[in-house]
């Protein structure tokens, strides 16, 4: 079967990276059934032939208007599709969409009419925010890490930056490689525009946000970097939980040691 990826090695590479990360999410145990979703902005890989491709779906509404996305293209996981299937067959479990000129609707253009993720409003709102703020980030990943989600069931961890400081203090890597910390978004209905709007507000301050009692959302230069930040935070959560299960409260690195890292690595916060 003909694919939009044929003779487009750059675009094919981007989709292969999504598939690779989808496999990691499944292996990590973060992607039960259809849990989680990934989108990437592929507009820079779109040529005139793609621009001329006829829609293979009806016009579908995003649910919100996103002015910076006019004419943009995204590869999106399909709703109800499994990460473990996206890993093996990305073009059967995801699709490429084009945002229409009204910035409020889209069409699917390739390869199959796979309806995008139910969290599309959140994903596209994040991409819209990123473009609007001049960011070069192209990827958004949402997943359900067991350890991090469990921590959101404790109200004490939901206060601003409590979890960020705790996770940063577990290992130097987390302070260095997730330098903007973890934002907290109070529970909101999955797939709602309310959740999308709350997510975007937090992105001004954080690259990774926690959807209370649901999952995390990360943005990054590419899908690997977005995954790495979640993975690093999850490693810290594992260290905390392992110490607790051994019967003690972990010491954590002191504020002074974390400040030393901030200076040494020239970190933003
Ligand atoms: P989708 O299958 O629609 O992507 O939904 C999965 C999910 O994690 C919703 O929050
Ligand atoms: Zn989810």
């Amino acid at each position: 079967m003909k694919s939009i990826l044929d003779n487009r090695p750059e675009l094919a590479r981007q989709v292969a990276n999504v598939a690779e990360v989808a496999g990691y999410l499944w292996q990590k145990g973060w992607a039960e059934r259809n849990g989680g979703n990934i989108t990437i902005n592929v507009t820079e890989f779109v040529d005139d032939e793609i621009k001329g491709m006829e829609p293979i779906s009806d016009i579908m509404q995003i649910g919100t208007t996103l002015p910076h996305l006019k004419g943009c293209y995204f590869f999106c996981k399909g709703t109800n599709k499994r990460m473990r299937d996206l890993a093996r067959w990305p073009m059967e479990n995801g699709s490429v969409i084009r945002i229409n000129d009204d910035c409020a609707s889209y069409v699917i253009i390739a390869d199959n009419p796979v309806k995008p993720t139910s969290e599309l409003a959140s994903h596209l709102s994040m991409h819209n925010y990123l473009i609007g703020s001049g960011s070069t980030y192209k990827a958004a990943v949402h997943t359900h890490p067991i350890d991090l989600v469990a921590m959101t069931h404790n109200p004490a961890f939901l206060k601003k930056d409590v979890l960020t400081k705790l996770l940063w203090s577990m290992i130097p890597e987390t302070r260095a490689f997730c330098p903007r910390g973890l934002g907290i978004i109070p529970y909101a209905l999955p797939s709602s525009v309310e959740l999308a709007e709350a997510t975007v507000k937090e992105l001004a301050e954080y690259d990774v946000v926690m959807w209370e009692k649901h999952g995390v959302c990360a943005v990054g230069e590419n899908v690997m970097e977005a995954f790495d930040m979640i993975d690093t935070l999850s490693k810290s959560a594992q260290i905390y939980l392992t110490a607790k299960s051994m019967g003690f409260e972990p010491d954590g690195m002191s504020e002074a040691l974390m400040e030393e890292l901030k200076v040494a690595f020239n970190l933003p916060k």
Side-chain angles (χ1 to χ4, degrees):
M1 186 201 150
K2 233 173 94 57
S3 169
I4 193 173
L5 305 183
D6 294 344
N7 302 317
R8 293 193 178 93
E10 282 299 323
L11 186 59
R13 176 98 206 109
Q14 298 300 316
V15 172
N17 287 342
V18 169
E20 186 176 335
V21 166
Y24 298 157
L25 300 180
W26 164 248
Q27 286 159 14
K28 287 269 177 193
W30 299 347
E32 75 292 342
R33 197 176 182 275
N34 61 311
N37 20 78
I38 304 176
T39 59
I40 52 168
N41 183 343
V42 294
T43 313
E44 67 187 295
F45 306 108
V46 164
D47 50 38
D48 287 344
E49 193 188 335
I50 294 180
K51 284 186 190 145
M53 282 169 75
E54 290 298 327
I56 55 169
S57 72
D58 292 338
I59 293 176
M60 297 192 268
Q61 300 302 315
I62 301 169
T64 178
T65 303
L66 302 166
H68 300 295
L69 298 190
K70 186 173 172 173
C72 283
Y73 292 76
F74 297 90
F75 175 75
C76 311
K77 193 206 84 156
T79 187
N80 252 318
K81 299 297 185 189
R82 297 177 177 89
M83 281 295 172
R84 61 184 191 267
D85 291 340
L86 186 69
R88 293 175 295 177
W89 307 297
M91 296 311 282
E92 279 81 49
N93 293 279
S95 57
V96 177
I97 65 168
R98 175 195 296 139
I99 308 298
N100 292 327
D101 285 353
D102 63 5
C103 300
S105 66
Y106 66 92
V107 288
I108 303 171
I109 59 153
D111 282 347
N112 300 295
V114 175
K115 188 172 188 285
T117 170
S118 58
E119 301 289 5
L120 194 66
S122 279
H123 279 261
L124 293 182
S125 297
M126 290 190 275
H127 289 291
N128 182 65
Y129 170 81
L130 292 169
I131 295 170
S133 60
S135 168
T136 52
Y137 284 11
K138 294 283 166 21
V141 174
H142 161 61
T143 186
H144 302 165
I146 303 162
D147 36 33
L148 292 169
V149 175
M151 292 177 104
T152 71
H153 287 263
N154 177 358
F157 289 149
L158 299 178
K159 298 206 180 84
K160 189 173 167 56
D161 292 337
V162 171
L163 212 41
T164 293
K165 290 212 170 111
L166 178 71
L167 297 172
W168 273 354
S169 78
M170 290 297 110
I171 39 170
E173 275 74 6
T174 306
R175 179 71 186 93
F177 298 125
C178 191
R180 280 158 41 95
L182 180 63
I184 305 285
I185 298 178
Y187 183 85
L189 189 70
S191 81
S192 61
V193 170
E194 181 196 350
L195 181 60
E197 285 169 357
T199 302
V200 165
K201 264 195 212 126
E202 289 293 284
L203 284 190
E205 209 180 323
Y206 305 96
D207 286 337
V208 190
V209 299
M210 192 77 224
W211 289 349
E212 180 189 338
K213 302 185 181 86
H214 178 169
V216 297
C217 235
V219 291
E221 199 72 55
N222 55 54
V223 71
M224 292 294 168
E225 286 193 6
F227 168 77
D228 282 339
M229 280 189 285
I230 303 171
D231 193 29
T232 308
L233 288 163
S234 169
K235 169 59 74 71
S236 272
Q238 285 291 312
I239 292 165
Y240 176 78
L241 297 168
T242 305
K244 291 291 269 188
S245 66
M246 286 191 268
F248 65 90
E249 183 74 25
D251 246 2
M253 290 157 52
S254 66
E255 291 273 353
L257 291 178
M258 290 198 284
E259 185 61 27
E260 182 189 53
L261 274 171
K262 182 184 155 175
V263 175
F265 285 80
N266 195 19
L267 302 174
K269 259 191 190 172

